[in-house]
Amino acid sequence: MELTAPVNKVIPFSLVDGPGSRCSVFLQGCNIACAYCHNPETQNLCLGCGLCVEQCPAGALSWENGRVRWDKDACVQCDTCIHVCPHKASPKIEWLTPGEVFETVHSYQPFIRGVTVSGGECMLRADWMRELFALCRAAGLGTLIDSNGCVPFEEHLDLLDVADGVMLDVKAWDEGTFARLTSGDVCVVKRNLALLAERNKIEELRIVVVPGWNDPEATIAGIADALGEKTATTKLKLIRFRRFGVVGALANANSPTDERMSELEALAREAGFGQVELR
Ligand code: SF4
Ligand code: SF4
């Protein structure tokens, strides 16, 4: 049977998912649950509870072979299904082969430098991504992975062979803080950081600054310590927490101030980062 992955959406041209204009592919399903997730509906695969099928005002959802079927053409993009879903899932996905996604990406080739696969957590579909990247590379397109770092890259070295690099989140440094923020294990992120640095596969590192929830000072210092002399050539992006789309404990939380972001930028430069960007 052909390998498929649950594709949530494909953005033809993105300027924020790596260098140049890129086609961004978003996969459904994640292995952690961040308190500040902006797209909580991408966290889980549909459990088939049926709630959204009854609520769709356009009749775009139905049952087919035990799965919810989404009729893309009938959908009016009202997002009622996402609002009623109690499982942080979306019925608006398509199970596609690497070849099918490549055809879409390839149709934009004159206007893009490459493809970036994101999530959810795209590393949950590493074999699928490897096939997609092999097709993209053969066509002369760049290939980037956007990952939360919570899947061990050491188990997917063949994927790294066809990936130009990884945009890696380092959401916190302390084990307890990381677990409280994401429900994940920071030890895996730290192992990935070391492995990707060793293989020169870090495209950029990202820290989202969430007041009162994570430890950006410790994270900056920890990364610099782990990277050693490679810190100077590593790009670090410091991202301001924004509440847009966030549900749960952080739905009404404040963003860090400009002063706080500038303070962290200065700290990162002092720690040796040659490229620091605020977003
Ligand atoms: S967004 Fe969801 S609820 Fe709205 S029309 Fe599309 S499938 Fe139906
Ligand atoms: S998308 Fe959510 S509400 Fe709809 S059937 Fe799946 S789990 Fe139920």
Side-chain angles (χ1 to χ4, degrees):
M1 213 165 86
E2 261 204 287
L3 201 55
T4 58
V7 177
N8 178 288
K9 69 178 166 213
V10 176
I11 295 181
F13 315 111
S14 166
L15 294 172
V16 294
D17 294 307
S21 178
R22 309 186 73 84
C23 181
S24 292
V25 179
F26 293 83
L27 302 184
Q28 180 78 21
C30 194
N31 55 341
I32 57 174
C34 297
Y36 60 73
C37 181
H38 292 281
N39 305 105
E41 77 280 3
T42 64
Q43 284 182 9
N44 297 313
L45 288 175
C46 170
L47 300 181
C49 72
L51 209 62
C52 62
V53 176
E54 296 157 17
Q55 302 280 331
C56 174
L61 299 173
S62 58
W63 287 104
E64 195 175 277
N65 302 325
R67 272 185 185 174
V68 175
R69 182 179 170 277
W70 173 52
D71 181 342
K72 205 175 179 174
D73 296 328
C75 177
V76 294
Q77 300 296 348
C78 65
D79 280 353
T80 301
C81 50
I82 286 168
H83 295 135
V84 301
C85 179
H87 304 294
K88 293 186 175 167
S90 168
K92 295 194 289 175
I93 63 158
E94 294 176 286
W95 288 85
L96 301 175
T97 64
E100 286 169 322
V101 172
F102 172 70
E103 282 309 313
T104 305
V105 173
H106 191 46
S107 67
Y108 306 126
Q109 178 143 5
F111 315 104
I112 57 173
R113 252 168 84 174
V115 63
T116 300
V117 183
S118 185
E121 175 49 38
C122 62
M123 283 300 293
L124 295 173
R125 307 282 165 182
D127 292 343
W128 181 93
M129 230 184 333
R130 181 175 36 76
E131 285 189 23
L132 172 65
F133 282 4
L135 292 168
C136 290
R137 276 225 166 155
L141 285 163
T143 52
L144 287 178
I145 299 167
D146 174 357
S147 172
N148 65 28
C150 290
V151 172
F153 276 84
E154 69 218 16
E155 293 170 14
H156 302 288
L157 297 179
D158 52 350
L159 169 62
L160 286 182
D161 290 341
V162 287
D164 297 339
V166 179
M167 299 189 290
L168 186 75
D169 293 338
V170 187
K171 295 168 191 278
W173 198 254
D174 170 74
E175 216 168 305
T177 306
F178 190 89
R180 184 172 70 109
L181 184 69
T182 70
S183 78
D185 179 2
V186 76
C187 299
V188 181
V189 183
K190 291 179 184 179
R191 279 210 320 271
N192 283 333
L193 180 68
L195 180 140
L196 294 172
E198 188 192 307
R199 289 171 178 258
N200 293 321
K201 292 287 183 182
I202 297 177
E203 174 64 28
E204 73 178 28
L205 299 175
R206 297 179 303 202
I207 303 171
V208 179
V209 181
V210 199
W213 276 75
N214 63 350
D215 52 359
E217 284 92 346
T219 309
I220 290 167
I223 295 171
D225 192 38
L227 295 183
E229 62 186 22
K230 290 195 174 178
T231 308
T233 50
T234 301
K235 180 174 174 188
L236 178 68
K237 208 177 254 180
L238 296 169
I239 303 171
R240 190 187 300 259
F241 161 79
R242 292 179 177 88
R243 70 173 77 150
F244 178 75
V246 175
V247 296
L250 282 169
N252 296 310
N254 291 323
S255 299
T257 61
D258 289 345
E259 292 72 27
R260 172 70 171 143
M261 295 303 289
S262 302
E263 196 181 286
L264 291 170
E265 181 185 8
L267 192 81
R269 292 196 189 280
E270 266 169 46
F273 285 95
Q275 300 179 64
V276 185
E277 195 182 306
L278 295 186
R279 211 178 83 195

